[in-house]
Amino acid sequence: MNEHDSERISGLLMAEGMVPTEDVESADVVVLNTCCIRENADNRLYGNLGHLRTLKQRKPWLQIAVAGCLAQKDKELIREKADHVDVVFGTFNVHRAPELLRLAQSEGPQVEVWDGPGTDSDDPYGFEIRPARESGHQAWVTIQVGCNNSCSFCIVPSVRGPEASKPFQRVVDEVSELARQGVIEVTLLGQNVNSYGRDITLSLRTANPDSFDVALAGERWARDPARRPRPLFADLLRAVGSVEGIRRVRFTSPHPKDLLHETIEAMAETPAVCEQLHLPLQSGSDRVLAEMRRGYTASRYLERLAEARRRISDLAVTTDIIVGFPGESDADFEETLEVVAEAEFDSAYTFEFSPRPNTRAAEMHDRFVDPAKVSERFLRLKQVVDRSALIKHRARIGRLEEVLVEGRSRRDGSLVGRTRQGKLVHLRDAELPAGSLANVLVTDAGAHHLVGEIVEEIERPRRARLGVVAG
Ligand code: SF4
């Protein structure tokens, strides 16, 4: 989501005539778009600003802007710590970036962080901002901003506000436009995609129980005589998955407590929806899950997972896990290991707990787990995850997989792509443009990747790059 926000900021600035550069030394404007999900983001921001201070001493006309969650959280503090920053803007006024940069040139430093969506705008959530997309064949599409949950470790609700969904038809139109431009894979983005549209149907029902607004809530909801307030994510998956030209639909992230039967059915019945599910577990201990305020138990999580695997064949499942949540005992951690082993994840993003300001978990100082113990648990968890990932990946050796070519690996220069399950594949001795689809024979596997040989080309990209449209 943060990377997509960077694309949106780039889109706004490119519409003003700026051109992107990979070389920071040659830039006239540098925007640091921050994420404060984890603690080290703060350290990285001020480290980067330290380097930019030297650059600005050599290039006094250089403008430096700080955006994103950390700007939303720290506001004036950023300029107090780094007075060479020209502009600070938050998550609710991204659209103001070009104007603030202009004002900073004529009037000096600008700090403008809104506490919520603008009330005087037709587009309070910035849904109309046109991103400058890096890829011509893959695109992120925001379907929802904010979050109505209150996980005790998470800073997102305080820096992104409550959930707001992009109108249904707006999402479908955006995906249709992307398909016309050559995009074949879209990833739908939201903090809790499963609850997409609940706010829309609730407000439609409250304002007018007989509402028949297809554009806001989609045809399936509008034609349902009951028109009860409910999430629309399953309807959206079906609608986006049937857009002509879209070969792959992914989404991130669903919340386990809201993973509805209808969503699993929509995934199973919509061929374009990839066989991939990122379902954040966070902990395998019911006691810790309750303290995290996650709203499910380990067994409930495993039941949902089992249902998804029953309905969607060859489903790859990934997850997020936090190690060392305050008060996590050895027994709690053992329970996490047991659930992780039972779930047989394809991979997991594992994190050591880091306290975030204004969260309940940050106040549990007296129960913080000894850092040495957290590191030891982290390594043990990684071993369990890597073991199941390796088994899963090795089981794919000898199979034919449809791979979407992404380009050259920065690490070793080999051509890389992804299967429908989202698995990274290194393609040996291959030459195909990014955006091509090919059938690939898997010849080897590691815990984090596959290796393969192209057997046949399926299709080449229809267009290499997207243009940025101003206005
Ligand atoms: S669901 Fe929980 S972890 Fe995810 S963004 Fe919302 S509060 Fe944060």
Side-chain angles (χ1 to χ4, degrees):
M1 189 163 276
N2 182 253
E3 281 183 43
H4 183 47
D5 279 347
S6 297
E7 290 184 337
R8 295 165 74 231
I9 295 169
S10 298
L12 285 163
L13 300 184
M14 289 166 75
E16 294 282 305
M18 295 189 200
V19 286
T21 173
E22 295 267 308
D23 171 25
V24 73
E25 297 275 329
S26 67
D28 300 307
V29 174
V30 175
V31 183
L32 296 170
N33 183 31
T34 60
C35 168
C36 61
I37 283 267
R38 273 168 287 154
E39 200 173 16
N40 65 3
D42 297 44
N43 306 334
R44 277 176 49 200
L45 170 68
Y46 292 106
N48 282 326
L49 285 174
H51 292 129
L52 288 172
R53 184 188 286 279
T54 320
L55 185 59
K56 188 156 175 144
Q57 279 160 356
R58 276 190 280 125
K59 289 174 66 171
W61 64 90
L62 175 70
Q63 285 194 294
I64 300 168
V66 179
C69 303
L70 210 61
Q72 187 70 29
K73 173 172 84 70
D74 284 357
K75 303 181 176 74
E76 283 82 6
L77 186 65
I78 289 177
R79 273 203 32 90
E80 284 168 27
K81 287 188 174 177
D83 61 4
H84 56 299
V85 169
D86 298 279
V87 173
V88 177
F89 58 95
T91 53
F92 294 106
N93 62 333
V94 169
H95 63 288
R96 296 269 301 144
E99 173 67 5
L100 291 171
L101 285 165
R102 261 193 303 275
L103 282 173
Q105 269 176 337
S106 55
E107 296 174 13
Q110 304 287 316
V111 177
E112 188 181 287
V113 177
W114 296 2
D115 289 332
T119 49
D120 58 346
S121 161
D122 292 343
D123 183 27
Y125 300 101
F127 288 150
E128 299 296 328
I129 295 174
R130 282 175 172 265
R133 293 190 160 92
E134 293 228 331
S135 162
H137 53 274
Q138 293 167 309
W140 287 301
V141 176
T142 299
I143 62 167
Q144 169 202 58
V145 294
C147 181
N148 284 356
N149 293 310
S150 51
C151 303
S152 59
F153 53 82
C154 182
I155 195 172
V156 166
S158 77
V159 290
R160 296 274 173 175
E163 277 169 19
S165 302
K166 188 181 278 185
F168 195 97
Q169 194 56 43
R170 177 83 184 76
V171 177
V172 177
D173 289 348
E174 196 172 322
V175 172
S176 304
E177 176 62 23
L178 288 165
R180 279 193 289 277
Q181 292 169 331
V183 167
I184 58 172
E185 177 180 301
V186 289
T187 303
L188 307 179
L189 291 178
Q191 299 293 351
N192 176 11
V193 290
N194 289 321
S195 61
Y196 166 79
R198 190 157 40 198
D199 54 326
I200 294 177
T201 55
L202 193 60
S203 70
L204 281 174
R205 277 288 290 183
T206 312
N208 177 7
D210 299 321
S211 168
F212 194 79
D213 198 329
V214 175
L216 278 174
E219 198 141 333
R220 283 170 79 99
W221 187 81
R223 292 201 185 283
D224 173 3
R227 289 198 282 282
R228 277 185 297 274
R230 65 166 172 84
L232 301 171
F233 187 58
D235 299 359
L236 190 70
L237 278 182
R238 292 178 195 273
V240 166
S242 62
V243 168
E244 199 183 331
I246 294 298
R247 303 283 296 257
R248 293 177 169 198
V249 178
R250 303 187 193 278
F251 56 88
T252 192
S253 288
H255 193 302
K257 79 175 165 57
D258 297 322
L259 180 60
L260 300 177
H261 173 70
E262 287 85 342
T263 302
I264 293 172
E265 288 302 301
M267 289 177 72
E269 292 170 7
T270 311
V273 176
C274 289
E275 298 77 18
Q276 179 193 13
L277 180 64
H278 182 72
L279 198 60
L281 169 66
Q282 306 301 7
S283 171
S285 153
D286 289 347
R287 201 190 59 75
V288 173
L289 285 170
E291 295 229 32
M292 288 177 164
R293 301 185 167 222
R294 291 289 289 171
Y296 54 86
T297 59
S299 58
R300 187 85 182 110
Y301 178 97
L302 290 170
E303 278 166 25
R304 298 270 164 122
L305 192 54
E307 184 190 344
R309 281 189 167 136
R310 260 194 316 274
R311 280 296 284 126
I312 305 159
S313 62
D314 201 16
L315 181 72
V317 182
T318 56
T319 196
D320 298 328
I321 301 164
I322 296 173
V323 180
F325 184 82
E328 182 190 71
S329 65
D330 287 341
D332 291 322
F333 178 66
E334 292 302 326
E335 287 179 30
T336 297
L337 288 185
E338 280 168 29
V339 174
V340 169
E342 189 173 340
E344 298 182 340
F345 293 115
D346 289 75
S347 78
Y349 299 92
T350 48
F351 308 96
E352 294 187 6
F353 170 78
S354 70
R356 307 311 297 125
N358 307 320
T359 60
R360 284 193 182 83
E363 290 161 15
M364 302 176 178
H365 309 277
D366 51 333
R367 299 171 64 207
F368 281 6
V369 182
D370 172 15
K373 191 164 254 191
V374 176
S375 302
E376 185 200 312
R377 288 179 186 169
F378 182 85
L379 290 176
R380 285 184 63 202
L381 175 64
K382 197 169 173 318
Q383 281 172 356
V384 176
V385 171
D386 284 354
R387 197 182 310 139
S388 68
L390 191 58
I391 291 170
K392 296 224 156 216
H393 287 179
R394 286 204 173 136
R396 305 191 89 84
I397 295 175
R399 292 178 47 154
L400 268 192
E401 303 265 355
E402 181 200 273
V403 170
L404 173 57
V405 176
E406 293 190 341
R408 297 255 159 220
S409 151
R410 283 196 185 156
R411 220 169 34 162
D412 64 5
S414 66
L415 200 65
V416 291
R418 291 208 181 252
T419 67
R420 285 180 59 88
Q421 285 75 17
K423 296 185 181 301
L424 183 71
V425 189
H426 287 263
L427 300 162
R428 293 282 174 248
D429 307 319
E431 229 13 282
L432 269 183
S436 304
L437 276 172
N439 278 329
V440 168
L441 177 69
V442 179
T443 55
D444 201 358
H448 304 285
H449 71 282
L450 305 174
V451 179
E453 288 165 9
I454 294 174
V455 173
E456 63 171 338
E457 240 181 274
I458 302 173
E459 68 178 38
R460 293 229 170 182
R462 277 171 285 150
R463 198 191 289 183
R465 292 196 62 82
L466 287 183
V468 175
V469 183

